[in-house]
Amino acid sequence: MTDATLSIRFAGPMVSLQDAGRTGGLRFGVSPSGPMDRIGFAAAHAALGQPPSTAIEVSLGGVSLTTDTPLTCAVAGGDFDIDLAGQRYQGGQVLTLRAGDTLTLRAGRAGSWAYLAVAGDLDAPKWMGSTATHAPSGFGGGLISSGQKLRVTSPAVRDSRLGAIPAFTGHDTGPIRAVMGPQDQHFEDAALSLFATTTYRVGTAYDRMGMRLDGPPLALKSALSIPSEPILRGSVQVSGDGVPTVLLADHQSTGGYPKIATVVSCDTDRLTQYRSGDRVAFTPVSAEEATAQTRAFADRCSSYLSQIAEDRGTLADRLMRENLIHGLLTDDED
Amino acid sequence: MQATFRAVADTGLLVSLATDLDPAAHAAVTALDRALAAAPPDGLQETVPALVNLMVVFDPLITDAATLQAQIEPRLAALDPTPAQGREVTVEVCYDPPFAPDLAPVAAAKGLSEEAVINAHLAGEYDVLMFGFAPGYGYLGGVPDTIAVPRKPTPVRDVPAGSVIIAGPQCLITTLTMPTGWSIIGRSPTPILTGNADAPTLFDVGDRVRFTRVSADRLGVADD
């Protein structure tokens, strides 16, 4: 089968190629990268009936592209506006592009990141065994820019996959849960309670490295010089001026600023979908609670992904099924 | 050695061997790192050695911080205190203008000739203490006191990749064009990042680096 070429007509800032990310690099200064919203990324692939590979992570800046070969695509993650050759959609969708069609994703009702996966293999350069883009360096698949061409090998049309992708409802909706520490001993007690009770606003400084929060400053006990310590995704690092930043997919691997708390891994994905100006509050949980929450969340993710991975059948199958359901509802025997 | 353990949410366990810089604590960090690599506990994903602590990163669906702490405590008690002999790696460095813009200020600050600064830098033996900041940024301890200078008050922007920079007792070879407040005393043509997943960098924590002097034609770059 011939390859498909995707021509990028327009790409906003911070649109990049991402696979699931790389592990094992932190000791060499390399953060995991990969999708900001891992559930949205996984959903786009599941809805196409294929294992996770490389997808386009679309920022609020949006993306517009054409294909020279018919190709089925899935959009999932943030609730973005989709335009396919003049036909409009919102939120998660599986769509088939005809040759020459233009697909455009723009910031929609909610969310900061959407994932565009293709039926086939999106070709991307690997670095350290992964196509995930580390945005500050550009290593990996890379940032996508206007005029660029991307190759899809084994492009496929999968009409049995078409239709809306149900939104993921497995996220908790309360405050973002965080385990205090590991450097909370460097903060005044008042700062610890302030962190747990303040409603912050997501600042304008929000990118793949981290999300700065606007709110009252968190006071440190004294001017500090702590030895640089390793950082994980979700670390809430507080700079010398008391401003907290939640570190995300492309975070630095180490840092000398104290970390007041660490967001529970299952809440980092929903946090990434917040936008600048959104309100965000944190609630402290124990490490044991965090583990239990992440395990329960993983179960909800698996059932969601297997639900959306189910083939919907041919158009005829679907019409038949809908007719049958319709028939059951109207031929009520009571 | 006495250790403290902190759970880092549901995916990490930070094992700290000291609160302030201490060579014995760093030796224990690298010894624990090796012990975990030799026999990884279930669910361990990666370890991140730093100056006085080791981050143990794990899969929360397989294990948890308390389980790992219980597995690590006996290993800490049984650590081999003799430092492992890391590999010795040679890194080329060109100290010629325009690649060493801070050589003259460092020489002036220390009351030395530029040639004496170069010789002192070349004479140093550097231990790879940790990586951080950006991919492949290895913090090398061992800059001789005679040329140790503090960080500049204001960082310089767009310092090219391959710059050999010093601050205090540490030296670093940059891998990206980035701002730095460290003093730029040379440029290296030696690639630090390999791009290879198994050995992403030329050296690992615990290895030893020596510098060797080369001329500008080794750099293969135009003046910039």
Side-chain angles (χ1 to χ4, degrees):
Chain A
M1 188 186 286
T2 56
D3 298 342
T5 300
L6 301 179
S7 302
I8 306 295
R9 297 166 61 100
F10 168 80
M14 278 198 289
V15 175
S16 65
L17 292 165
Q18 298 292 342
D19 65 10
R22 48 179 75 78
T23 51
L26 281 171
R27 65 184 295 112
F28 304 106
V30 179
S31 49
S33 297
M36 293 287 277
D37 173 4
R38 293 168 290 194
I39 320 309
F41 169 84
H45 293 283
L48 290 171
Q50 65 189 28
S53 56
T54 303
I56 299 175
E57 181 178 79
V58 184
S59 69
L60 289 173
V63 74
S64 185
L65 54 81
T66 60
T67 174
D68 65 352
T69 306
L71 181 67
T72 300
C73 295
V75 179
D79 188 352
F80 275 47
D81 288 341
I82 303 168
D83 183 314
L84 172 59
Q87 187 76 33
R88 298 191 168 195
Y89 307 86
Q90 286 182 317
Q93 286 286 338
V94 179
L95 307 152
T96 293
L97 282 66
R98 296 163 301 181
D101 277 353
T102 298
L103 173 69
T104 303
L105 272 64
R106 292 188 191 90
R109 291 176 296 197
S112 282
W113 309 96
Y115 296 87
L116 173 62
V118 299
D121 292 310
L122 190 53
D123 206 28
K126 279 190 179 181
W127 180 65
M128 281 180 65
S130 160
T131 63
T133 302
H134 175 256
S137 64
F139 292 152
L143 292 162
I144 289 175
S145 53
S146 306
Q148 190 175 344
K149 293 194 186 309
L150 299 170
R151 192 174 60 157
V152 179
T153 54
S154 313
V157 170
R158 296 186 192 142
D159 283 337
S160 67
R161 296 276 164 190
L162 296 180
I165 304 172
F168 180 58
T169 55
H171 279 305
D172 286 272
T173 52
I176 297 293
R177 295 165 298 192
V179 177
M180 297 308 288
Q183 285 102 26
D184 49 339
Q185 70 274 18
H186 297 302
F187 293 88
E188 300 281 1
D189 289 345
L192 300 179
S193 52
L194 193 59
F195 174 74
T197 53
T198 298
T199 299
Y200 289 93
R201 296 250 185 202
V202 176
T204 48
Y206 172 29
D207 60 18
R208 286 183 46 84
M209 291 182 76
M211 174 189 279
R212 195 148 72 185
L213 302 173
D214 292 339
L218 299 166
L220 293 160
K221 275 184 183 156
S222 58
L224 276 182
S225 168
I226 60 172
S228 199
E229 299 194 343
I231 291 173
L232 295 183
R233 179 186 180 123
S235 287
V236 185
Q237 173 177 276
V238 180
S239 48
D241 51 7
V243 176
T245 298
V246 186
L247 301 173
L248 296 164
D250 289 344
H251 64 83
Q252 291 186 6
S253 64
T254 60
Y257 291 120
K259 275 67 77 181
I260 192 169
T262 310
V263 175
V264 179
S265 63
C266 65
D267 276 1
T268 59
D269 301 276
R270 70 174 163 119
L271 180 63
T272 65
Q273 292 292 7
Y274 285 50
R275 290 182 183 171
S276 177
D278 283 352
R279 291 162 194 274
V280 53
F282 297 89
T283 191
V285 296
S286 69
E288 294 74 19
E289 288 167 330
T291 303
Q293 286 156 356
T294 288
R295 288 177 180 176
F297 178 78
D299 288 342
R300 296 198 293 277
C301 285
S302 308
S303 12
Y304 168 70
L305 293 174
S306 42
Q307 179 204 335
I308 62 173
E310 270 184 39
D311 197 291
R312 299 163 197 243
T314 63
L315 184 61
D317 290 342
R318 275 188 283 159
L319 287 174
M320 172 86 91
R321 192 165 62 226
E322 279 155 27
N323 277 337
L324 281 174
I325 292 165
H326 183 69
L328 284 172
L329 292 174
T330 50
D331 300 344
D332 195 333
E333 289 171 8
D334 284 350
Chain B
M1 180 166 268
Q2 195 61 39
T4 58
F5 294 82
R6 282 303 298 268
V8 183
D10 53 319
T11 62
L13 176 66
L14 186 65
V15 186
S16 299
L17 281 308
T19 53
D20 297 313
L21 292 181
D22 169 13
H26 188 260
V29 165
T30 54
L32 178 60
D33 185 38
R34 287 193 305 273
L36 292 175
D42 279 352
L44 183 135
Q45 285 181 325
E46 56 187 301
T47 53
V48 194
L51 299 173
V52 296
N53 41 34
L54 181 76
M55 181 73 85
V56 180
V57 188
F58 57 86
D59 180 346
L61 303 186
I62 296 176
T63 188
D64 57 45
T67 304
L68 277 167
Q69 180 175 340
Q71 290 166 325
I72 289 171
E73 274 169 337
R75 296 190 189 207
L76 267 174
L79 280 188
D80 180 0
T82 50
Q85 204 60 47
R87 291 175 312 131
E88 185 162 308
V89 176
T90 301
V91 172
E92 295 182 335
V93 51
C94 165
Y95 299 96
D96 301 342
F99 303 108
D102 294 326
L103 202 52
V106 170
K110 305 304 281 189
L112 297 171
S113 68
E114 293 183 25
E115 207 53 33
V117 173
I118 293 167
N119 288 334
H121 185 250
L122 284 168
E125 288 186 337
Y126 300 88
D127 293 314
V128 184
L129 300 175
M130 62 177 278
F131 286 85
F133 186 65
Y137 272 51
Y139 288 76
L140 312 178
V143 173
D145 285 343
T146 50
I147 61 166
V149 289
R151 196 185 292 228
K152 297 176 197 170
T154 314
V156 177
R157 295 171 63 125
D158 296 336
V159 174
S163 294
V164 177
I165 59 179
I166 57 172
Q170 293 180 350
C171 180
L172 198 154
I173 306 128
T174 70
T175 60
L176 300 173
T177 298
M178 283 267 190
T180 184
W182 293 25
S183 294
I184 306 153
I185 61 160
R187 181 84 63 88
S188 174
T190 308
I192 305 300
L193 287 170
T194 67
N196 180 337
D198 298 326
T201 50
L202 181 66
F203 42 74
D204 199 349
V205 172
D207 288 344
R208 177 157 284 195
V209 172
R210 282 180 181 281
F211 290 100
T212 180
R213 187 174 190 173
V214 296
S215 61
D217 54 12
R218 283 288 293 154
L219 294 173
V221 291
D223 289 10
D224 56 356

